[in-house]
């Protein structure tokens, strides 16, 4: 069992354009407001259309399915609702002034359809990168994890999981930058009964991204063992 298989229900920080806000507000995912402004009109329209009809936890009809088939709820994994660059120190210390960026989720939604006997799910995520005291212009990748889990309360089991890297560019005058992503191809077997429900978790997964990077590195070449030269003065016989 992986940590992605066991946690749900959360709160996310909202308000404040820079790190160091004293408000300390927390809230559930907000559905108010418009999607962030994007440079590509077709992508902007696509995201706006998706969020206008898809929801996070409300009952969602499943196209081409029997009436008893439900679109799994979407939730953010506890402990994975914020992202920091650089990561927090291992000793749990507070290095606020060295923080470059913090990532949070703004909203998420999903819709479903049955295609060739499989449940095909689209998951949309919108989030924000906030510039910290040590931050500035730059390019980062947001490691987004999506995991489908069956029977999340009684016997959690990961059905499918995917790590996505979302590129984000921060300008020299930016206090924060919004990002958006829609996963189109999440496919898995249709749940067989209401007693074995599915839930879809999203969250930031920097450890998974680091492990993926490490696995891609070539193994260091083995150094040849030095040959042992015979000692001409060694006794014989």
């Amino acid at each position: 069992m992986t940590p992605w298989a066991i946690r749900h229900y959360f709160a996310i920080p909202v308000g404040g354009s820079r790190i160091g806000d004293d408000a300390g507000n927390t809230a559930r995912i907000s559905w108010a407001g418009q999607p962030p402004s994007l440079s590509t009109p077709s992508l902007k329209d696509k995201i706006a259309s998706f969020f206008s009809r898809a929801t996070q936890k409300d009952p969602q009809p499943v196209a081409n399915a029997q009436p008893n088939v439900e679109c799994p709820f979407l939730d953010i994994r506890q402990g994975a609702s914020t992202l920091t660059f650089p990561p927090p120190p291992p000793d749990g210390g507070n290095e606020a002034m060295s923080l470059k960026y913090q990532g949070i989720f703004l909203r998420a939604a999903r819709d479903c359809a049955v295609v060739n006997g499989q449940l095909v799910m689209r998951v949309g995520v919108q989030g924000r990168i906030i510039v910290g005291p040590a931050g500035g212009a730059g390019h980062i990748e947001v490691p987004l994890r999506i995991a489908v889990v069956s029977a999340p309360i009684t016997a959690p089991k990961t059905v499918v999981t995917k790590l996505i890297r979302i590129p984000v560019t921060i300008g020299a005058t930016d206090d924060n930058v919004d990002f958006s992503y829609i996963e189109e191809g999440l496919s898995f077997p249709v749940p067989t009964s209401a007693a074995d429900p599915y839930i879809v978790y999203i969250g930031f997964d920097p450890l998974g991204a680091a492990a993926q990077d490490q696995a891609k590195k070539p193994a260091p070449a083995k150094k040849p063992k030095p040959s042992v030269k015979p000692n001409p003065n060694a006794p014989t016989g």
Side-chain angles (χ1 to χ4, degrees), residues 31 47-61 71 74 107-112 122-124:
W31 298 102
I47 291 175
S49 175
F50 179 78
F51 279 101
S52 69
R53 65 179 184 274
T55 65
Q56 181 194 1
K57 291 185 178 181
D58 293 339
Q60 192 86 13
C71 191
L74 179 65
R107 62 178 180 175
R110 91 287 191 218
D111 65 12
C112 299
R122 291 195 305 168
V123 176

Side-chain angles (χ1 to χ4, degrees), residues 5-223:
I6 57 177
R7 300 290 179 85
H8 61 105
Y9 300 115
F10 65 97
I12 60 173
V14 296
S17 60
R18 295 188 67 91
I19 300 297
D21 227 325
D22 293 328
N25 296 320
T26 60
R28 289 277 177 176
I29 282 182
S30 171
W31 298 102
Q34 297 298 319
S37 176
L38 301 175
S39 58
T40 306
S42 60
L43 180 58
K44 177 181 177 180
D45 294 343
K46 178 180 179 181
I47 291 175
S49 175
F50 179 78
F51 279 101
S52 69
R53 65 179 184 274
T55 65
Q56 181 194 1
K57 291 185 178 181
D58 293 339
Q60 192 86 13
V62 180
N64 308 322
Q66 298 296 323
N68 63 333
V69 177
E70 297 181 354
C71 191
F73 287 163
L74 179 65
D75 212 341
I76 295 182
R77 179 183 173 271
Q78 184 178 345
S81 62
T82 59
L83 176 70
T84 58
F85 295 87
D91 61 2
N94 184 8
E95 301 293 339
M97 296 309 296
S98 66
L99 186 62
K100 292 183 177 180
Y101 312 106
Q102 177 175 312
I104 61 173
F105 289 108
L106 297 179
R107 62 178 180 175
R110 91 287 191 218
D111 65 12
C112 299
V114 173
V115 179
N116 297 326
Q118 294 279 300
L119 192 63
V120 179
M121 189 172 187
R122 291 195 305 168
V123 176
V125 173
Q126 291 185 335
R128 177 169 295 159
I129 297 298
I130 305 171
V131 179
H139 303 273
I140 61 173
E141 283 189 335
V142 174
L144 172 68
R145 172 74 67 178
I146 302 176
V148 181
V149 176
S150 66
I153 303 299
T154 56
K157 180 181 178 182
T158 301
V159 178
V160 63
T161 181
K162 188 172 185 179
L163 178 66
I164 303 104
R165 297 167 185 258
I166 306 171
V168 178
T169 299
I170 298 96
T173 60
D174 290 333
D175 287 339
N176 59 77
V177 176
D178 290 352
F179 63 88
S180 300
Y181 178 81
I182 296 179
E183 173 59 40
E184 301 274 2
L186 215 58
S187 179
F188 46 91
V190 177
T192 56
S193 70
D196 185 29
Y198 285 5
I199 190 168
V200 180
Y201 293 114
I202 61 173
F204 298 116
D205 189 10
L207 296 180
Q212 192 179 75
D213 291 340
Q214 186 64 33
K216 291 179 179 178
K217 292 182 179 180
K222 294 183 179 180
K223 295 181 179 180

